[in-house]
């Protein structure tokens, strides 16, 4: 059984850390707010600083909101870097910039340690049910060491390549998810305004080439009007912003992703930033002046 | 066992008629070209005209390319309409205009018969394996009569609504399929140019919210460069043309569908009209000046 650290115990981090404790490991915990009672009751140990976590744990997981947060936790005062000793592994499960990730990895390696970017997909449900996808970038040996811990928290664990490749894969994921939501929204608004029952259209499309996780889950949300998050529009905007900045740097044209980001801007204009990203359908509905009927 | 007709024995119609024969029914057959030997050997009966088919069969299936073809087969000289007697059912499995469909249905009803629009999805493989999706519009009683025959040819059979609703559903299907292909193309070109292995990206995405039939099948085609059809770009252009015309009439804005049709135009400009629609990725690759690596 290993000494593991977990920094960032929010919607995702809390259940993830819980699975590691249930797996029999000793967890050293730190969060912006106080460590949840539940995790302490299960045996988790609260630490005063990220440095403290890094001193006590051999593998340190991070799950925080954005690039500057990772920077601060790793390299700020009393941060992870100050507590590291050679041989330790830092695993960042946040969704952040691939370029920044490569810089962070280099600085961690200078301490004689290794770094994995391992952003996740699957949302709160995936975190709770331990069915997350881990898209990892970094040294293969470190990946193999950490894999058994990933397996306690997820079910699809793929090493994409070197540092940064995990974040690139997460960007690809966010492109597909956004565009599949937009696709289902266009199809259901079209069908509804033409007088067809959107619930039956969804059922038929699930039998063929149009079948997708998004049609299944978010299509149902659009029909039943259940727009409580889930994954908030403002977070998907943040992720597409990363994607589009990166696409500019890489010289890759992403016409429908760019368009989709504009449609999210319209969702925000109508006060829907905090709704689930399936509420993108409301933008298409306003454009068509017609609401997808309740299924 | 019933007397059934089948008009249009192309890539889709031929295996479909074959399943009906195997189901024990007597098939009266007509095609632009001569009736395939295989179907005659299995017991199918060749007819000289569509009128002839309509006289001998109680349920007459059609599977032809486009709206004018359906018009000609139904209402041209020696067409189906001339051979109908009250109580017969005409089932159109072609992908055509929803508006024209409603007109055809009315004219068939004037003969004391009923009409079902029942476009299909699933391609040649679905036709051969009897796993097609049928999206039907028309009277419920006629749908129930025809359902056992649909079940010999397909596995997802949904009555969407009245006449035309089947075609609307097929349009919704073609929107989702086109936009999901475009989504996967953007994601894989982005990932490839950023240096990530597209095959591993596809594998990871299949574990999460980005999972789709298109990512599975067409994503693999993009990586392995297998662009033999499948479903040709020129046919998807025809279908999106129907969708966009209909969207204009209905006053529905479909920004990404319209954009996708423009990208198909670029595919055509580079001589790719006869390739599988997954070859849309080549347009994105030219825009990015980078090819998705072979997986």
């Amino acid at each position: 059984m290993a000494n593991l650290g977990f920094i960032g115990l929010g919607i995702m981090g809390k259940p993830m850390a819980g699975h590691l404790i249930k797996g029999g490991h000793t967890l050293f915990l730190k969060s912006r707010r106080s460590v949840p009672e539940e995790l302490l009751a299960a045996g988790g140990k609260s630490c005063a600083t990220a440095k403290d976590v890094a001193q006590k744990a051999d593998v340190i997981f991070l799950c925080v909101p954005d690039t500057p947060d990772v920077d601060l936790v790793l390299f700020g005062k009393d941060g992870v870097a100050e507590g590291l000793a050679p041989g330790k592994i830092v695993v960042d499960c946040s969704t952040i910039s691939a370029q920044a990730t490569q810089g962070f990895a280099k600085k961690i390696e200078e301490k004689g340690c290794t770094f994995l970017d391992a952003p996740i997909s699957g949302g709160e449900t995936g975190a709770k049910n331990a069915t997350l996808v881990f898209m990892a970038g970094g040294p293969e040996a470190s990946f193999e060491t950490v894999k058994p811990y990933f397996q306690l928290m997820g079910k699809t664990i793929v090493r994409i390549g070197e540092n940064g490749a995990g974040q690139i894969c997460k960007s690809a994921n966010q492109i597909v998810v956004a565009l599949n939501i937009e696709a289902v929204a266009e199809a259901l608004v079209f069908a509804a305004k033409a007088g067809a029952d959107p619930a039956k259209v969804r059922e038929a499309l699930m039998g063929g080439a149009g079948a997708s996780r998004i049609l299944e889950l978010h299509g149902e949300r659009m029909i039943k009007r259940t727009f409580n998050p889930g994954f908030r529009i403002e977070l998907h905007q943040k992720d597409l912003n990363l994607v589009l900045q990166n696409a500019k740097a890489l010289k890759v044209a992403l016409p429908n992703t760019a368009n989709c980001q504009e449609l999210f801007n319209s969702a925000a204009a109508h006060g829907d930033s905090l709704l689930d990203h399936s509420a993108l359908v409301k933008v298409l509905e306003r454009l068509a002046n017609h609401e997808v009927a309740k299924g």
Side-chain angles (χ1 to χ4, degrees), chain A:
Chain A
M1 293 302 107
N3 291 323
L4 306 176
F6 213 111
I7 299 168
L9 302 166
I11 291 177
M12 302 298 286
K14 183 182 150 188
M16 290 166 73
H19 292 303
L20 295 174
I21 295 175
K22 261 179 253 148
H25 302 291
T26 304
L27 264 283
F28 297 94
L29 305 167
K30 169 81 179 80
S31 206
R32 257 191 309 190
R33 298 188 194 85
S34 61
V35 172
E37 262 313 315
E38 234 172 298
L39 293 177
L40 298 176
K45 300 182 186 319
S46 183
C47 294
T49 64
K51 174 183 173 181
D52 202 16
V53 173
Q55 282 172 333
K56 290 174 174 153
D58 296 313
V59 177
I60 303 106
F61 292 90
L62 266 74
C63 195
V64 297
D66 208 346
T67 309
D69 306 292
V70 174
D71 197 7
L72 191 70
V73 165
L74 292 179
F75 307 109
K77 185 174 151 31
D78 290 325
V80 167
E82 292 183 15
L84 288 176
K88 300 198 176 194
I89 305 174
V90 176
V91 185
D92 179 23
C93 297
S94 320
T95 294
I96 66 165
S97 155
Q99 278 70 35
T101 289
Q102 291 173 336
F104 296 158
K106 200 155 284 175
K107 285 167 78 177
I108 295 294
E109 280 166 15
E110 286 164 8
K111 301 263 168 193
C113 300
T114 54
F115 185 89
L116 296 174
D117 45 306
I120 50 188
S121 169
E124 192 178 358
T125 312
K128 284 185 173 164
N129 299 338
T131 56
L132 291 171
V133 183
F134 285 87
M135 308 168 230
E140 188 146 18
S142 304
F143 173 76
E144 291 301 330
T145 303
V146 177
K147 202 172 176 183
Y149 313 133
F150 286 148
Q151 285 168 334
L152 289 173
M153 304 182 281
K155 90 177 156 76
T156 304
I157 324 288
V158 185
R159 179 179 173 269
I160 308 296
E162 300 307 321
N163 279 128
Q167 294 295 348
I168 292 296
C169 186
K170 179 65 191 277
S171 287
N173 187 72
Q174 297 307 77
I175 292 171
V176 169
V177 169
L179 294 187
N180 283 7
I181 288 174
E182 208 280 338
V184 170
E186 289 200 12
L188 293 185
V189 171
F190 172 85
K193 194 159 187 187
D197 178 345
K200 288 186 178 161
V201 169
R202 173 181 165 280
E203 182 192 347
L205 267 54
M206 278 305 297
S212 70
R213 201 71 61 87
I214 293 296
L215 176 63
E216 186 184 357
L217 302 176
H218 297 71
E220 187 175 40
R221 277 174 170 273
M222 293 175 197
I223 292 166
K224 295 196 171 160
R225 317 306 284 176
T226 48
F227 295 133
N228 57 313
F231 190 73
R232 294 198 300 277
I233 282 175
E234 63 172 17
L235 287 176
H236 215 144
Q237 285 183 288
K238 176 211 115 187
D239 290 352
L240 292 190
N241 192 41
L242 271 180
V243 168
L244 292 169
Q245 280 180 351
N246 208 347
K248 180 169 187 294
L250 291 164
K251 298 173 188 160
V252 176
L254 302 176
N256 279 5
T257 301
N259 204 22
C260 192
Q261 182 76 318
E262 299 301 316
L263 296 175
F264 277 136
N265 288 348
S266 176
H270 287 266
D272 291 344
S273 303
L274 302 181
L275 297 186
D276 184 72
H277 48 178
S278 56
L280 181 64
V281 72
K282 293 173 73 179
V283 177
L284 278 299
E285 289 172 342
R286 276 186 292 265
L287 285 171
N289 196 23
H290 188 91
E291 195 174 292
V292 169
K294 289 162 209 268

